[in-house]
Amino acid sequence: MNTYLNQKSITIKRQTYSGTPPKSSYSVLATVNAYVRPLTEEQSARNGLQWGKGLFVMVKDEVDVQEGDKILFDGVDHTVQGVSRHNR
């Protein structure tokens, strides 16, 4: 079932390095509205995730999301493990 939850505000963070020696931290890249829904049982299995732990997040194509970024959603950081671009 591909029902989407209401549009939510998410914050996208990317790892940056600064200082000597370099130390890493996550800085805010963008705060955008997105559609969020849980992965189905089949999608979770294909992606090697425990069912109920993965999310499908859909944002506008202009938003630069990459694997390894973190998405802050409902107060919890989620690591991006896959990105697909679709021309709809």
Side-chain angles (χ1 to χ4, degrees), residues 12-64:
I12 301 166
K13 300 187 280 185
R14 185 159 297 152
Q15 191 171 21
T16 57
Y17 296 90
S18 63
T20 305
K23 294 185 180 179
S24 70
S25 64
Y26 281 87
S27 58
V28 173
L29 184 65
T31 300
V32 297
N33 287 329
Y35 290 102
V36 180
R37 71 170 168 83
L39 293 178
T40 64
E41 188 173 357
E42 181 181 303
Q43 291 169 327
S44 295
R46 276 188 290 172
N47 290 290
L49 299 170
Q50 181 180 349
W51 184 64
K53 299 288 184 183
L55 295 172
F56 176 85
V57 179
M58 187 168 56
V59 296
K60 290 184 178 180
D61 193 44
E62 300 89 38
V63 179
D64 180 31

